[in-house]
Amino acid sequence: MNALKPWSRALGIAGAVLLGLWVVLGAVLAAPAWSLWATGGPGLLLAAGWVALEWTLVRTAVLSPGLRYGSNALLFTGAVVIAVALVNVITTRHSWRTDLTSNRFFSLSEQTRQIVKGLNRKVKLTVFVGARNTESGELRDLLELYGHASRQLDIEYVDPDLKPERAYIYKITGQPTVVVESAGKRKDILPQEMFGYQFNGQQPQREFKGEPVLTAAILSVASDQQSVIYFVEGHGERSIMDTTDNGIASLKAGLERDNFVVKTLNILKDGKIPADADLLIVAGPSRAFPAPEQKVLAEWLAKSGRLLVLLDNVSPPGLDAILKPWGVKPLAGLAVDPRSNYPFAGPMVPAPLYESHKITADLSKQGVAVILPGARALELGTVPGGTVLPLLKTTDASWLEADWQTEKTPKFTSGTDRRGPLTLAAAIAVAAPLTATAAGAGAEPASLPPHSPKIVVFGNTTFVTNGLRGTIETGFDLFANAVNWLSGSTESISIRPKQRDDRRIFLDNVKTNIMFTVSLIVFPLGVILVGVWTWWRRRSL
């Protein structure tokens, strides 16, 4: 044993070095397991050898009074260091945060959380934004929330000014731009899609629409399936290629952004409905539906078809016959609501109330309004084996104006006009292909088969036109919710951009004078008087 003692110093130093390296690899660098075994095992063996060779020295040191008293402090210090390290590791890997704002402004919506948590493959988000960009703050905060919500999202920031070659390869033309990629699919989110203004009859309010477009892009590149939507043509419908105020080209762009494939269909010309059609949309027809088309549509609907109808002022012949078996009858005349309307347009532009349904639930919860200029009312009945539920209703102060083409100022005429409340939109759900079973009633079934007939009818088309969408965005959100419900994609129901709470105090002249007097005269004078009284009291003692 004495012959080996000259080696004890070398053993001790080597063991300490290996154990120190083991701590650095494991706690700091998160090195692979084999490197930990390669350093920790030999280090422990060398340290044990040093202890065996210097046992007398170790025993004397351990039993000495100085070490005995100092060990308590050493153990306490070690415990504190270990506790701090554990807290640091836990907070790094399992962060927790809460949002105390009233409208959850700094939180992701429930739809977004469900989508990103359900990702089964990696999605890369490359953010091209310069250090001087003034709009990047909100985007960075939002992307941080996405990063915390799912480990499947890889987020990289690239400064185009410092790395122009990356911007050239990706063909970036503006900042900030987010490129979303997964499995060879790519979706670019441009600045104008994320930042804009919302007009609600007031002064323009800046609006950040990052979450809706980011979630839609992630869903688009991460999904392997795309629903196909056909817009029916041949009856004077609004065109998805029309970019004027009366067109609906923005609908096509919005649906494609939400991962839908959009096509057009002329039923009379093609003679059938394509097999890949997941949804048909009839947007504001003005000419008649011939009997052959009625038959094709009726048979397709009865075999689990999905249909969305947007009506204009007058229904063309044949359309009422298509809707009648499904418990919906469009009424002649336009809805007038003097109690709930768009204040800058008057009672002929009602702002209806939301009824309880999956399509309207999110919009109702957020308290945002939708307006339907020149809307028609629907009379609801029953449908065999299903339910016919209202989506939008006017107030009980409304009526259906029958003579809307000649009256300049609408007024209720007893015996001619119909009293409200009026139904302006409805959703029909059937649990199975249409049969002669008894008509259902009550709420929509909790769950429907994947292939079951569904129809949504809106008594208006104007609310989704390009012109009105530039004024109030809620119309497209409602339309998108209806499309997603019809196609079965309820988890991607439209996400509304959040608005910052605008909490202001408006004071009249009297209240302003009171605040001025109290804050600039009463309080300062009171402090001076208290100081003088204290000085006088101490002087007199």
Side-chain angles (χ1 to χ4, degrees):
M1 181 68 71
N2 292 332
L4 296 176
K5 278 196 173 185
W7 294 91
S8 64
R9 181 180 177 85
L11 290 175
I13 294 174
V17 170
L18 287 175
L19 289 176
L21 185 59
W22 173 72
V23 171
V24 171
L25 291 173
V28 180
L29 302 179
W34 66 265
S35 64
L36 299 180
W37 284 106
T39 54
L44 288 174
L45 290 176
L46 292 175
W50 177 83
V51 170
L53 293 174
E54 300 290 346
W55 174 247
T56 302
L57 178 63
V58 173
R59 184 172 179 276
T60 303
V62 170
L63 297 179
S64 66
L67 183 61
R68 198 161 53 238
Y69 291 120
S71 62
N72 293 331
L74 184 62
L75 288 174
F76 179 77
T77 304
V80 171
V81 171
I82 293 173
V84 171
L86 288 175
V87 170
N88 184 58
V89 171
I90 292 173
T91 54
T92 301
R93 298 183 179 180
H94 307 281
S95 61
W96 178 84
R97 60 178 62 196
T98 185
D99 186 354
L100 299 180
T101 56
S102 60
N103 64 344
R104 309 291 293 172
F105 184 82
F106 298 102
S107 301
L108 296 177
S109 66
E110 184 61 31
Q111 297 99 313
T112 294
R113 286 198 296 269
Q114 290 178 2
I115 289 171
V116 297
K117 286 183 179 179
L119 293 175
N120 55 12
R121 65 188 182 205
K122 287 287 185 179
V123 177
K124 177 70 177 297
L125 284 77
T126 308
V127 186
F128 290 88
V129 59
R132 299 180 181 180
N133 188 275
T134 58
E135 296 181 320
S136 62
E138 287 178 303
L139 179 59
R140 289 177 185 271
D141 292 341
L142 179 64
L143 289 172
E144 185 179 353
L145 295 176
Y146 276 87
H148 281 282
S150 175
R151 294 184 178 180
Q152 295 283 46
L153 299 176
D154 290 334
I155 302 173
E156 179 189 6
Y157 290 91
V158 177
D159 190 334
D161 301 324
L162 299 179
K163 297 181 179 179
E165 69 282 359
R166 292 284 302 276
Y168 177 78
I169 293 172
Y170 277 87
K171 299 180 180 179
I172 302 301
T173 58
Q175 297 182 40
T177 296
V178 183
V179 179
V180 186
E181 300 172 283
S182 181
K185 299 171 69 176
R186 170 177 166 174
K187 191 80 172 178
D188 290 8
I189 304 175
L190 304 178
Q192 58 267 30
E193 296 181 78
M194 294 184 283
F195 301 93
Y197 289 89
Q198 173 73 348
F199 300 86
N200 280 324
Q202 305 171 356
Q203 291 185 349
Q205 292 183 333
R206 187 176 179 278
E207 187 176 50
F208 176 53
K209 300 179 285 186
E211 183 181 354
V213 295
L214 273 172
T215 301
I218 291 171
L219 189 63
S220 174
V221 300
S223 176
D224 294 323
Q225 296 181 342
Q226 288 182 291
S227 297
V228 181
I229 297 176
Y230 282 89
F231 278 79
V232 176
E233 293 182 330
H235 317 90
E237 291 89 353
R238 310 256 185 163
S239 172
I240 59 174
M241 305 306 295
D242 187 355
T243 57
T244 66
D245 285 350
N246 291 324
I248 55 173
S250 60
L251 282 189
K252 179 178 183 293
L255 291 172
E256 289 176 338
R257 185 199 70 191
D258 289 346
N259 199 35
F260 290 100
V261 177
V262 181
K263 301 180 180 180
T264 57
L265 171 66
N266 189 316
I267 300 176
L268 190 61
K269 179 180 177 181
D270 296 346
K272 62 179 181 178
I273 296 174
D276 65 344
D278 296 297
L279 172 64
L280 295 188
I281 298 179
V282 180
S286 58
R287 293 196 294 269
F289 281 75
E293 282 188 271
Q294 295 182 38
K295 182 180 179 182
V296 171
L297 273 172
E299 292 177 350
W300 182 76
L301 285 173
K303 295 177 181 178
S304 307
R306 308 289 174 95
L307 177 66
L308 174 58
V309 178
L310 303 168
L311 300 173
D312 270 330
N313 297 340
V314 179
S315 297
L319 186 59
D320 289 3
I322 296 171
L323 297 176
K324 183 177 179 181
W326 301 94
V328 178
K329 178 183 178 182
L331 300 175
L334 298 183
V336 178
D337 195 341
R339 182 180 298 173
S340 180
N341 55 64
Y342 191 56
F344 296 89
M348 295 290 286
V349 184
L353 308 177
Y354 296 113
E355 295 293 302
S356 178
H357 197 277
K358 291 178 181 178
I359 295 175
T360 58
D362 187 60
L363 297 176
S364 177
K365 182 179 179 181
Q366 296 185 41
V368 292
V370 62
I371 59 174
L372 277 70
R376 299 181 60 190
L378 308 174
E379 185 178 277
L380 305 185
T382 58
V383 59
T387 56
V388 183
L389 302 176
L391 297 177
L392 303 173
K393 274 191 173 183
T394 58
T395 67
D396 54 8
S398 64
W399 69 88
L400 187 63
E401 180 63 49
D403 197 18
W404 58 275
Q405 292 177 315
T406 58
E407 284 192 5
K408 294 183 179 180
T409 303
K411 58 182 178 179
F412 179 75
T413 304
S414 181
T416 304
D417 298 335
R418 183 169 180 164
R419 277 285 185 193
L422 306 170
T423 299
L424 304 186
I428 300 95
V430 181
L434 190 60
T435 61
T437 57
E444 177 193 341
S447 60
L448 292 170
H451 302 289
S452 58
K454 283 184 180 180
I455 299 177
V456 172
V457 182
F458 287 99
N460 188 251
T461 307
T462 309
F463 79 105
V464 293
T465 54
N466 302 327
L468 195 60
R469 188 178 178 185
T471 302
I472 180 169
E473 186 82 7
T474 320
F476 178 76
D477 294 329
L478 179 63
F479 172 85
N481 286 356
V483 169
N484 285 316
W485 179 77
L486 287 165
S487 62
S489 303
T490 53
E491 73 281 356
S492 58
I493 278 189
S494 184
I495 303 166
R496 281 289 305 158
K498 296 184 178 72
Q499 299 284 354
R500 291 184 182 271
D501 283 345
D502 188 12
R503 300 186 179 185
R504 304 182 186 182
I505 298 177
F506 296 95
L507 302 176
D508 54 27
N509 291 334
V510 175
K511 293 178 181 178
T512 302
N513 292 333
I514 292 174
M515 288 191 66
F516 175 83
T517 303
V518 171
S519 60
L520 297 182
I521 298 177
V522 175
F523 281 167
L525 184 59
V527 172
I528 293 172
L529 291 175
V530 170
V532 171
W533 177 79
T534 303
W535 171 80
W536 179 263
R537 185 168 176 270
R538 290 181 178 179
R539 186 170 179 267
S540 61
L541 291 176

